[in-house]
């Protein structure tokens, strides 16, 4: 569909953007790079953003932050770009920068930072990224451990979705994992098998279409990795060793595993998950330091963004955790 749109209107910026994004998701990176060059003159901000999307694969998260700041230099009034940067800063462990880059911090970034009550207060139905805002709010409630509040909306979303898990639709792998935890907590396992089967069915569709994942740290609630989703399904069904191995593979490939979801607490508490989390934390430190080594010296983005003074002072003192 995206390829056809690009053929019908070769200079359409949305058509090229969508097509390049799809090429990256299906790991056709050489072709993506060729197509990306078409944006360099007609849409330089999008060119910068998608180059970051492309070069951040494999866990080079700072590349996406650099690219989005480059795009911000070109389009300083791009509001949604600042919201994405809030999530990217949260991913590389820069809380102050995440909370200050946008006029209002998106709920998704607040969840990444473990600030669930603030996330619930900040959730804007127009900016959830979900088809249904109630399903998004329920996911935040489940992340905070408020299963009683989350359950009705998640069960409704599960039914309304046709009992299907999809990447960007009404009911996602995060929604399914949350609902599994909720019904198990209530000792009502009736739908667990169907929920896990739906995650597996979504993975099957990824594989049939050559989709490996986004490889990006922006738009975090749309981020996905096939190994992670398959691993979560295996882990939830009790295939512990295989599930951990797949989750580890996703992490090694650069997927950021969200660390503050109560519905994943069993995974977090698993001793076999500890090395995965430790490795992710090490990557976070490396990527944050790589980013700060640039912006804390001669910041090329100073006209549109500056790091917090305390951040650079701690970086120079080697005091950032």
């Amino acid at each position: 569909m995206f390829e056809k749109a690009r053929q019908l209107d070769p200079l359409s910026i949305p058509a090229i953007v969508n097509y390049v994004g799809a090429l990256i998701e299906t790991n056709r990176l050489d072709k993506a790079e060729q197509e990306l060059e078409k944006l360099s003159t007609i849409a330089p901000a999008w060119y910068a953003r998608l180059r970051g999307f492309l070069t951040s694969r494999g866990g080079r998260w700072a590349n996406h932050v650099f690219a989005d700041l480059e795009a911000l230099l070109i389009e300083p009034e791009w509001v949604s770009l600042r919201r994405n940067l809030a999530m990217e800063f949260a991913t590389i462990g820069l809380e102050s920068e995440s909370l200050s880059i946008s006029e209002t911090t998106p709920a998704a970034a607040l969840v990444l930072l473990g600030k669930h009550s603030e996330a619930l207060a900040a959730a804007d139905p127009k900016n959830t990224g979900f088809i249904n805002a109630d399903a998004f709010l329920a996911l935040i409630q489940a992340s905070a451990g408020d299963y009683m509040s989350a359950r009705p909306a998640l069960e409704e979303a599960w039914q309304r979705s046709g009992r299907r898990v999809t990447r960007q639709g009404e009911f996602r792998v995060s929604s399914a994992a949350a609902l599994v935890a909720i019904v198990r907590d209530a000792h009502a396992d009736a739908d667990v098998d169907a929920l896990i089967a739906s995650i597996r069915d979504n993975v099957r569709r990824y594989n049939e279409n050559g989709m490996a994942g986004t490889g990006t740290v922006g738009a975090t609630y749309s981020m996905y990795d096939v190994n992670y989703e398959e691993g979560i399904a295996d882990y939830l069904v009790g295939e512990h060793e295989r599930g951990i191995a797949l989750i580890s593979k996703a992490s090694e490939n650069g997927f950021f595993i969200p660390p503050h979801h109560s519905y994943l607490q069993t995974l977090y508490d698993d001793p076999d998950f500890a090395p995965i989390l430790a490795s992710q934390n090490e990557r976070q430190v490396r990527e944050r330091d790589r980013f700060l080594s640039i912006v804390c010296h001669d910041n090329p983005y100073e006209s549109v963004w500056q790091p917090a003074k305390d951040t650079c002072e701690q970086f120079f003192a080697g005091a950032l955790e």
Side-chain angles (χ1 to χ4, degrees):
M1 181 184 69
F2 291 146
E3 186 170 26
K4 184 67 173 177
R6 186 189 58 83
Q7 291 169 351
L8 291 171
D9 189 351
L11 294 179
S12 165
I13 293 170
I16 299 172
V17 167
N18 287 332
Y19 185 51
V20 171
L23 288 170
I24 294 171
E25 286 189 47
T26 51
N27 213 34
R28 290 181 279 175
L29 305 184
D30 291 341
K31 179 67 171 174
E33 191 149 8
Q34 292 173 13
E35 291 292 325
L36 182 57
E37 290 304 314
K38 297 175 183 177
L39 287 173
S40 60
T41 54
I42 62 172
W46 268 114
Y47 174 78
R49 292 204 69 194
L50 285 170
R51 179 150 294 284
F53 187 177
L54 183 61
T55 62
S56 67
R57 294 178 67 84
R60 294 180 62 79
W61 301 331
N63 286 6
H64 210 148
V65 191
F66 286 131
D68 277 0
L69 286 171
E70 185 71 28
L72 198 62
L73 284 173
I74 301 166
E75 297 284 352
E77 304 304 319
W78 196 344
V79 174
S80 64
L81 179 55
R82 287 183 175 271
R83 294 174 64 84
N84 275 354
L85 277 161
M87 291 183 280
E88 292 159 21
F89 283 136
T91 302
I92 62 172
L94 290 175
E95 180 173 318
S96 295
E97 287 67 21
S98 178
L99 296 174
S100 62
I101 182 67
S102 179
E103 186 174 337
T104 57
T105 306
L110 291 165
V111 171
L112 282 178
L113 294 168
K115 297 179 178 293
H116 297 102
S117 58
E118 292 95 328
L120 285 166
D124 181 346
K126 300 188 295 298
N127 290 302
T128 63
F130 271 54
I131 292 173
N132 184 276
D134 288 343
F136 177 76
L137 291 171
L139 194 54
I140 299 176
Q141 290 166 336
S143 294
D146 184 1
Y147 290 174
M148 185 176 296
S149 298
R151 184 173 181 176
L154 283 175
E155 288 185 330
E156 183 179 346
W158 167 234
Q159 298 301 326
R160 196 165 49 233
S161 70
R163 295 165 67 90
R164 297 176 77 223
V165 167
T166 54
R167 177 167 73 97
Q168 288 184 310
E170 188 88 18
F171 197 79
R172 309 178 185 186
V173 65
S174 51
S175 312
L179 193 51
V180 167
I182 289 168
V183 297
R184 281 179 169 166
D185 184 69
H187 306 290
D189 291 0
D191 264 354
V192 166
D193 289 346
L195 286 161
I196 293 171
S198 189
I199 297 174
R200 293 193 190 282
D201 194 45
N202 191 46
V203 169
R204 175 188 59 77
R205 292 193 298 273
Y206 288 148
N207 290 330
E208 286 179 354
N209 290 280
M211 298 172 71
T214 61
T216 178
V217 299
T220 307
Y221 274 95
S222 298
M223 182 180 174
Y224 74 105
D225 180 277
V226 175
N227 289 312
Y228 175 75
E229 295 200 16
E230 186 174 2
I232 284 292
D234 287 339
Y235 191 85
L236 291 175
V237 84
E239 296 177 14
H240 176 273
E241 186 174 339
R242 175 175 161 78
I244 286 288
L246 284 165
I247 293 168
S248 178
K249 185 176 180 181
S251 180
E252 289 167 8
N253 290 339
F255 179 74
F256 181 79
I257 300 170
H260 298 297
H261 291 331
S262 288
Y263 58 82
L264 293 179
Q265 196 61 50
T266 300
L267 174 65
Y268 300 155
D269 292 340
D270 191 319
D272 291 330
F273 180 71
I276 300 172
L277 183 59
S279 179
Q280 174 166 291
N281 290 341
E282 289 169 4
R283 171 175 276 142
Q284 184 183 63
V285 170
R286 287 197 306 271
E287 291 301 300
R288 183 178 65 221
D289 287 353
R290 188 161 68 89
F291 176 73
L292 293 178
S293 68
I294 300 295
V295 301
C296 286
H297 286 91
D298 186 13
N299 181 11
Y301 316 107
E302 187 174 5
S303 62
V304 292
W305 172 84
Q306 300 85 35
K309 182 181 178 182
D310 288 351
T311 296
C312 288
E313 287 177 350
Q314 292 176 52
F315 172 65
F316 289 133
L320 282 170
E321 293 181 359

